[in-house]
Amino acid sequence: MGSELELDEARARFVGLYDRLKDELLQDPVFDLMDEARRYVEEMLDYNIRGGKLNRGFSVIETYKLLKDGEDMSEEEFFLAGVLGWSLEWLQACLLVLDDIMDNSTTRRGQLCWYKLPKVGSRAINDGVFIKGSIHKMVKRYFREKPYYVDLLELSDEIALQTSFGQMLDLVYSHESERDLSKYNMPAYRRIVQYKTSYYSFYLPIACALLLHGEKPENFTDVKNVLVEMGILFQAQDDFLDCFGDPEVTGKIGTDIEDHKCSWLIVQALERGSDDQLKVLYDNYGKDDPECITQVKNVYKELDLENAFFEYELSSYAELLSSIEDLPNPAVQEVLKSFLRKIYGRKK
């Protein structure tokens, strides 16, 4: 997108759009918010939408700029890309609010999960639904006259549905009554991640930029396939950091082991473990007991899964880079390489 300075300036402009979009939502006559409700909604939006890395949202602007192949973005183009970017951050906030409740998580982005605040509790469920519903207001306000408006809505709704399906798969596999480690394998893991992570975190930002640029995302199936694989690598990194990451850096305390999650680590352990190690995993995985969690982590260490992950990350990077360089469009290649550079070797 240019020099580091230009990138920082563009990111600052993007961040600056948040207050405008939030204020427009709060002032929308459809809500007729009383002062107390207005204060609550504003705090809820700020708490859950701000504070993230903004990679998904800003990627819409970066991708659109790269698709223009060196041409400057007009003020309107930047603004529209920014609105779509923030709509993705709104969606991310909705998913995280609800995901934290379902996973019984404690912290997110270095602070208590929204539902853990004493004044919030179960009303966070409705807050998540509100955040999701407000996305349509934002998109309608600025895109209803655009020729790709219907395509944009269909894309957003389809990926939101796919993401919900991925979350459902994740919960079905980890639900207490269904817990069976024999079902945990790489095909099952890939299917969960493809739907829960890849589509909304990697494909959606690119698809939004393509629509804004006048392209049809369905003409870029090969790009979608690369992004799905990138999402699987990203989730494997998350799974690794959940166990081996530093909470001071990641901003959250890992709970995959006690939540019986179908994670990259448990799938690898089941494939590599001896009979004795498998017995330890079957006896202890999914139990919210510090000693059980330690037993599982000890097996991970015995199997040297930390180094196994680093080898996997390196080989995935090489395979993705090769797939990207096989694509015919140089601008799209640069978009995908930019994504890959951001996630490779990340610590949070």
Side-chain angles (χ1 to χ4, degrees):
M1 191 167 182
S3 68
E4 284 297 319
L5 179 59
E6 289 173 331
L7 195 63
D8 289 344
E9 289 174 348
R11 182 176 280 270
R13 286 173 66 195
F14 174 64
V15 171
L17 294 177
Y18 170 78
D19 284 328
R20 171 177 170 175
L21 297 173
K22 179 187 71 174
D23 290 345
E24 288 173 347
L25 180 64
L26 293 173
Q27 293 164 17
D28 194 306
V30 75
F31 297 124
D32 191 22
L33 292 169
M34 304 297 287
D35 285 347
E36 185 176 355
R38 184 186 300 274
R39 284 193 295 272
Y40 178 83
V41 171
E42 183 168 16
E43 180 185 358
M44 181 266 291
L45 294 174
D46 287 346
Y47 195 95
N48 292 295
I49 298 174
R50 280 181 159 165
K53 297 184 288 290
L54 305 182
N55 285 339
R56 293 169 185 82
F58 191 61
S59 290
V60 180
I61 292 175
E62 289 184 292
T63 300
Y64 185 74
K65 173 65 175 173
L66 289 168
L67 290 173
K68 285 180 68 68
D69 200 20
E71 292 181 32
D72 289 334
M73 293 173 67
S74 68
E75 287 292 324
E76 181 185 16
E77 287 173 327
F78 186 96
F79 178 75
L80 291 178
V83 172
L84 290 181
W86 276 112
S87 76
L88 268 59
E89 294 298 328
W90 249 255
L91 176 61
Q92 166 78 341
C94 158
L95 295 171
L96 294 185
V97 167
L98 300 177
D99 189 64
D100 286 341
I101 298 169
M102 289 181 274
D103 288 348
N104 197 30
S105 298
T106 303
T107 57
R108 170 74 67 179
R109 295 171 175 170
Q111 59 186 4
L112 276 177
C113 296
W114 177 243
Y115 83 99
K116 283 289 189 181
L117 298 185
K119 67 176 181 180
V120 179
S122 62
R123 76 165 69 171
I125 298 169
N126 188 67
D127 293 339
V129 174
F130 178 89
I131 295 171
K132 172 65 170 66
S134 65
I135 295 171
H136 281 287
K137 297 291 294 183
M138 187 191 313
V139 173
K140 181 180 179 181
R141 180 176 289 115
Y142 291 106
F143 293 94
R144 66 180 304 177
E145 303 302 326
K146 302 295 182 184
Y148 50 84
Y149 177 59
V150 173
D151 292 332
L152 200 54
L153 291 183
E154 290 180 348
L155 172 71
S156 174
D157 286 344
E158 179 177 299
I159 289 184
L161 180 61
Q162 289 173 323
T163 306
S164 297
F165 176 65
Q167 175 71 355
M168 182 182 70
L169 287 177
D170 190 20
L171 293 171
V172 165
Y173 273 93
S174 60
H175 192 274
E176 198 163 334
S177 65
E178 299 289 336
R179 290 179 174 179
D180 181 1
L181 285 182
S182 67
K183 297 178 182 177
Y184 285 13
N185 52 52
M186 193 50 67
Y189 177 75
R190 287 176 59 85
R191 184 169 175 79
I192 292 170
V193 174
Q194 177 177 343
Y195 283 93
K196 185 180 178 182
T197 302
S198 292
Y199 288 137
Y200 97 92
S201 291
F202 287 85
Y203 176 62
L204 185 55
I206 299 286
C208 284
L210 287 169
L211 281 172
L212 194 60
H213 194 250
E215 308 281 358
K216 291 287 188 181
E218 57 265 31
N219 295 334
F220 291 83
T221 305
D222 48 357
V223 172
K224 186 176 185 178
N225 292 337
V226 171
L227 290 166
V228 166
E229 292 301 321
M230 208 178 293
I232 291 169
L233 169 59
F234 181 87
Q235 185 60 53
Q237 292 171 323
D238 254 14
D239 297 346
F240 173 81
L241 292 171
D242 183 273
C243 180
F244 293 105
D246 180 356
E248 292 293 322
V249 177
T250 64
K252 58 184 178 181
I253 299 169
T255 60
D256 282 357
I257 293 174
E258 54 264 50
D259 289 343
H260 206 274
K261 290 293 183 180
C262 182
S263 78
W264 187 89
L265 291 169
I266 189 62
V267 168
Q268 294 298 315
L270 291 170
E271 288 181 356
R272 299 163 184 253
S274 66
D275 289 345
D276 287 344
Q277 289 169 327
L278 292 180
K279 186 178 187 310
V280 172
L281 295 175
Y282 273 85
D283 289 346
N284 293 279
Y285 199 74
K287 294 181 180 177
D288 192 4
D289 178 296
E291 178 58 30
C292 293
I293 294 168
T294 298
Q295 290 291 326
V296 173
K297 288 186 176 182
N298 285 341
V299 172
Y300 288 174
K301 290 173 183 174
E302 290 168 11
L303 293 171
D304 199 17
L305 290 190
E306 195 164 359
N307 279 324
F309 169 77
F310 293 138
E311 291 174 5
Y312 162 77
E313 186 179 40
L314 183 60
S315 65
S316 294
Y317 176 85
E319 289 170 11
L320 282 165
L321 192 59
S322 176
S323 297
I324 290 168
E325 290 177 343
D326 286 341
L327 298 173
N329 188 318
V332 171
Q333 281 190 30
E334 187 51 42
V335 168
L336 298 181
K337 286 179 180 178
S338 173
F339 265 49
L340 187 56
R341 284 193 295 267
K342 282 181 188 176
I343 69 168
Y344 181 66
R346 69 189 182 93
K347 303 300 180 187
K348 62 178 181 178

